[in-house]
Amino acid sequence: MLALLAQTAPELMSDQQLNVAKLQELLGEDRLASDEHYELSWAGKTAARREIQKTSSHTLRPDTNNPAQAQHMLIEGENLEVLRVLQKSYYGKVKMIYIDPPYNTGNDSFVYPDNYSETLDEYQRRTGEKNEAGFLNKQNLWKKNSKESGQYHSAWLSMMYPRLYLARNLLRDDGVIFISIDDNEAANLKVLCDEIFGSENFLANIVWRRTVSGAVSGQGFSVSHDHIFCYSKSEKSTLGRLAVEDEDKYKNPDDDPRGPYKTQKLERTLEGARPTMTFEIATPVGPITKTWACSPQKFQELLSDNRIVFSSSGQPYYKQFLSEYGGRLPDTWWEKSQGNNQEGSKELSALLGRKNVFTNPKPTKLIKHALRIGCGLSDICLDFFAGSGTAANAVIELNHEDGGTRQCISVQMPEVLDEDSEAYKAGYRTIADITRARIDKVIAKLQAEHPDKTADLACAHFTLAPSNFKVWRGDANSAEALREQLQLFQSAEKQAIGTEDQPAQTAMLAELLLKHGLGALGVHAISKPTDMAGATVYSVLMPDNRLMLLCFDPYTKALKDELVQAKPAQVVMLNSCFVGPKADELLSNLQLELAGLEIGLTVI
């Protein structure tokens, strides 16, 4: 039981013991007494834990100009709320997460919500935090975290805790996460990740040389590195091997059917070798007695398997086949081949045609290196601190380089830019505008250079938006309040507001796909609506190739006959589709008839 708890909720374990108080908090009970045990604690941790338990009243609204099909997606919105929205469709599906969160230097752009006890909706209603253009107003909703603050580290930890917890839910069992950070919060982040992912799932503290010259710190050192913490979801995690750097040294002079190989010395030069590893070997020039890298029995096995070759002087070597080597293990020191901040800035400037649009963007080399280690050719990668969009850029380019079909989900808050910034002067109004522009320009560049290979390359854009459906009030504790709720839910959808470019039904359709776990990109698998007995019906091909039909128009017997004839696996309708004095009877009869035909019916 403890092993199962450690796997599903590692934050409940402290020093290999179940933390009962923390279990009570996770279940919604406040801690009554504090026991002495090892854990990271800070002001606001209990409130940050409550953020994990909250459900979302939001959805993702597709952009009106989205392509018919898209491999990648960019979501504009507050990332904690977006992570909640993604839980249903992407739970346990993401192979790799890379994030570059605020470093909390006291001088950076890290800003944080002023009250973690409120939902985003509640905060928006109380503060009116959006400006007239609909952008998040940094001055109202967020405040800058400075080292003079009494809760300097606590605010940052409270920001990170629920996001990392929800992100862990999205990882596959064999998934991994890479987190860039510097010395300001590295120590706290390590302990925080040990709690969320489990210390046994810590894989590496990678040191990346971010700059050649370095920056002088207050302690008199020239700081030139960042940390990248790598954690796995579980012991099932898989990491990719890197390409063999000296592949040209692998030869096959004796036409061995196992392919090219290179030779390694069999002689062992290390001190302290076991006595059994010192023995005589018969060679073409006579017997040689030395300390070898194997036992006499293992040597005979290698010799019989044609894995031993002798030099002209009689020295034995064993064959290391390229086909069996499987590449080299990634190391924890990343330097020249992973690029630096200067290269990242040059890349972005060249792409956008203007310098200093974004401060210190990561180089694509860095993210590509992480992708080769943590993300397979056809896996999903997530970056919920997208910034300038380096991760999406890297995924798109790497797919082109190695023929991969990786999908990238990028999330960026539309934080308003300062009017005196270079980005604002260049025409961008939010950081999300920069993210979108970079992704669009990378795609356009590849399509111009390789039109034959990039015809289907596209990125769909979504915006975090309030749900199209009403939210049931759990605090309705009187008969009158309950009657009001029941009356309200005669129609589950809100008053539909649409435009000529995007009908209200399109937004509802995207949300229903999310609620059914088909993912935001599932909206692009929808064929054009068809007419069934005068009603508009949307057809969706689910991942298992089963058909789902969705209808928002009034129900009729003629519609039922056509739905049955189409033989879908699932039908989705709104409660408001059933109207008239016999609405309940019509719904009951339809449920019974479809159930008899093994067709699922979901009524919203």
Side-chain angles (χ1 to χ4, degrees):
M1 179 62 73
L2 286 179
L4 180 60
L5 279 173
Q7 173 61 35
T8 56
E11 75 278 9
L12 298 180
M13 307 301 292
S14 294
D15 294 335
Q16 306 303 314
Q17 300 294 320
L18 175 63
N19 187 329
V20 177
K22 196 176 294 182
L23 176 59
Q24 290 174 332
E25 286 185 11
L26 190 63
L27 296 175
E29 298 182 26
D30 291 337
R31 178 177 293 177
L32 300 177
S34 58
D35 299 323
E36 291 185 354
H37 56 268
Y38 176 76
E39 79 166 321
L40 176 64
S41 185
W42 66 89
K45 185 175 184 179
T46 299
R49 277 206 184 104
R50 292 196 189 104
E51 288 294 315
I52 299 168
Q53 302 165 11
K54 293 177 180 177
T55 57
S56 177
S57 59
H58 282 68
T59 185
L60 301 182
R61 181 170 297 159
D63 191 277
T64 55
N65 297 317
N66 273 348
Q69 297 287 335
Q71 189 174 354
H72 311 288
M73 61 188 291
L74 168 61
I75 304 169
E76 294 187 22
E78 198 279 320
N79 59 8
L80 179 57
E81 196 70 19
V82 172
L83 287 170
R84 292 191 183 109
V85 173
L86 295 178
Q87 294 295 307
K88 178 67 175 178
S89 285
Y90 292 95
Y91 185 93
K93 293 181 180 179
V94 177
K95 179 60 172 69
M96 173 183 146
I97 296 173
Y98 170 80
I99 55 171
D100 183 18
Y103 284 4
N104 202 24
T105 63
N107 297 313
D108 59 12
S109 60
F110 170 47
V111 290
Y112 64 97
D114 194 29
N115 188 338
Y116 278 94
S117 66
E118 296 177 300
T119 65
L120 183 62
D121 252 357
E122 291 167 342
Y123 203 98
Q124 287 175 344
R125 286 198 298 270
R126 184 168 70 83
T127 64
E129 100 303 342
K130 288 187 178 179
N131 62 20
E132 293 180 0
F135 297 131
L136 288 173
N137 190 328
K138 172 178 171 180
Q139 288 74 22
N140 285 345
L141 178 58
W142 312 93
K143 65 181 184 182
K144 191 179 178 86
N145 197 34
S146 66
K147 289 188 176 181
E148 288 71 32
S149 168
Q151 296 184 350
Y152 170 62
H153 293 291
S154 294
W156 188 87
L157 287 165
S158 290
M159 182 274 294
M160 291 294 293
Y161 185 88
R163 288 162 175 79
L164 288 176
Y165 193 101
L166 294 177
R168 180 184 180 274
N169 290 344
L170 299 179
L171 281 175
R172 287 175 9 189
D173 285 344
D174 63 346
V176 295
I177 183 171
F178 293 86
I179 310 172
S180 286
I181 200 69
D182 72 358
D183 288 335
N184 285 281
E185 295 291 354
N188 287 330
L189 180 61
K190 174 65 170 62
V191 183
L192 182 65
C193 287
D194 283 347
E195 178 175 325
I196 294 173
F197 295 95
S199 58
E200 69 278 7
N201 291 318
F202 170 70
L203 296 179
N205 175 8
I206 299 160
V207 179
W208 171 56
R209 187 169 184 180
R210 70 185 184 205
T211 180
V212 177
S213 57
V216 179
S217 72
Q219 287 72 37
F221 278 86
S222 178
V223 181
S224 59
H225 74 281
D226 275 354
H227 304 269
I228 303 176
F229 288 119
C230 183
Y231 279 80
S232 62
K233 171 75 172 286
S234 71
E235 74 281 356
K236 297 179 182 178
S237 69
T238 55
L239 295 178
R241 297 290 186 100
L242 300 175
V244 181
E245 293 180 332
D246 56 350
E247 188 172 339
D248 58 328
K249 294 181 180 179
Y250 286 77
K251 309 293 182 182
N252 194 4
D254 57 352
D255 294 325
D256 193 302
R258 288 163 290 196
Y261 61 87
K262 71 176 182 179
T263 56
Q264 301 285 349
K265 292 184 76 172
L266 194 66
E267 180 181 355
R268 185 184 177 102
T269 57
L270 298 177
E271 296 181 1
R274 295 192 300 273
T276 55
M277 299 174 72
T278 301
F279 55 93
E280 182 182 278
I281 287 179
T283 77
V285 298
I288 299 178
T289 300
K290 287 185 178 181
T291 299
W292 311 104
C294 62
S295 66
Q297 294 79 9
K298 183 62 177 178
F299 175 77
Q300 289 302 321
E301 291 177 12
L302 294 172
L303 188 65
S304 299
D305 196 29
N306 190 29
R307 289 178 180 264
I308 299 294
V309 295
F310 295 94
S311 68
S312 58
S313 62
Q315 292 295 324
Y317 292 79
Y318 68 92
K319 297 178 179 179
Q320 184 181 78
F321 290 95
L322 180 62
S323 59
E324 297 175 349
Y325 185 44
R328 58 189 173 90
L329 287 173
D331 59 32
T332 58
W333 173 250
W334 294 7
E335 190 176 8
K336 295 180 180 178
S337 59
Q338 287 77 46
N340 53 54
N341 276 344
Q342 289 89 336
E343 291 181 23
S345 296
K346 289 179 181 178
E347 281 181 330
L348 185 60
S349 297
L351 200 59
L352 300 182
R354 191 179 184 113
K355 294 182 178 180
N356 303 320
V357 170
F358 194 89
T359 304
N360 293 327
K362 294 293 186 289
T364 54
K365 284 183 181 179
L366 179 72
I367 314 303
K368 287 179 185 178
H369 193 66
L371 287 165
R372 293 186 182 101
I373 296 169
C375 192
L377 290 174
S378 58
D379 293 332
I380 298 175
C381 174
L382 168 66
D383 176 7
F384 54 91
F385 284 99
S388 71
T390 302
N393 187 341
V395 170
I396 292 169
E397 288 186 356
L398 188 59
N399 280 347
H400 177 71
E401 292 167 13
D402 61 15
T405 56
R406 303 171 189 85
Q407 298 178 43
C408 185
I409 302 174
S410 303
V411 183
Q412 178 55 45
M413 187 175 77
E415 182 184 330
V416 175
L417 295 165
D418 292 332
E419 293 186 12
D420 59 351
S421 67
E422 289 298 316
Y424 192 94
K425 295 173 184 176
Y428 304 108
R429 294 297 174 261
T430 70
I431 293 178
D433 287 345
I434 300 173
T435 319
R436 180 167 183 164
R438 179 174 191 167
I439 294 173
D440 289 346
K441 287 181 180 295
V442 169
I443 291 175
K445 181 175 182 290
L446 286 175
Q447 287 177 334
E449 295 173 352
H450 309 278
D452 55 326
K453 298 180 180 179
T454 56
D456 298 329
L457 181 57
C459 179
H461 300 278
F462 296 83
T463 303
L464 183 69
S467 172
N468 299 284
F469 300 95
K470 300 167 186 174
V471 179
W472 181 270
R473 283 181 52 197
D475 59 352
N477 52 13
S478 68
E480 183 179 354
L482 186 58
R483 280 194 298 270
E484 289 179 359
Q485 284 282 88
L486 291 172
Q487 182 63 34
L488 182 69
F489 271 78
Q490 290 297 311
S491 173
E493 68 274 20
K494 296 176 181 177
Q495 183 64 38
I497 300 176
T499 65
E500 184 177 346
D501 293 332
Q502 187 180 62
Q505 289 188 347
T506 303
M508 284 196 293
L509 198 58
E511 182 169 358
L512 288 174
L513 291 177
L514 278 170
K515 290 181 181 295
H516 279 79
L518 296 180
L521 287 178
V523 75
H524 302 288
I526 303 170
S527 62
K528 290 183 179 180
T530 57
D531 183 279
M532 287 190 178
T536 300
V537 177
Y538 296 87
S539 303
V540 178
L541 193 62
M542 295 188 286
D544 55 4
N545 289 321
R546 296 188 304 156
L547 181 64
M548 174 189 285
L549 298 180
L550 302 96
C551 180
F552 308 135
D553 290 339
Y555 168 78
T556 63
K557 183 179 182 303
L559 172 60
K560 179 206 68 176
D561 294 339
E562 294 209 28
L563 291 174
V564 169
Q565 188 175 359
K567 298 179 180 180
Q570 184 76 22
V571 174
V572 178
M573 302 185 75
L574 300 178
N575 189 56
S576 58
C577 293
F578 300 89
V579 296
K582 296 185 177 181
D584 292 340
E585 181 181 339
L586 290 173
L587 174 56
S588 298
N589 290 338
L590 179 63
Q591 287 175 324
L592 290 172
E593 186 164 349
L594 293 184
L597 297 171
E598 297 184 344
I599 298 174
L601 174 64
T602 300
V603 179
I604 306 296

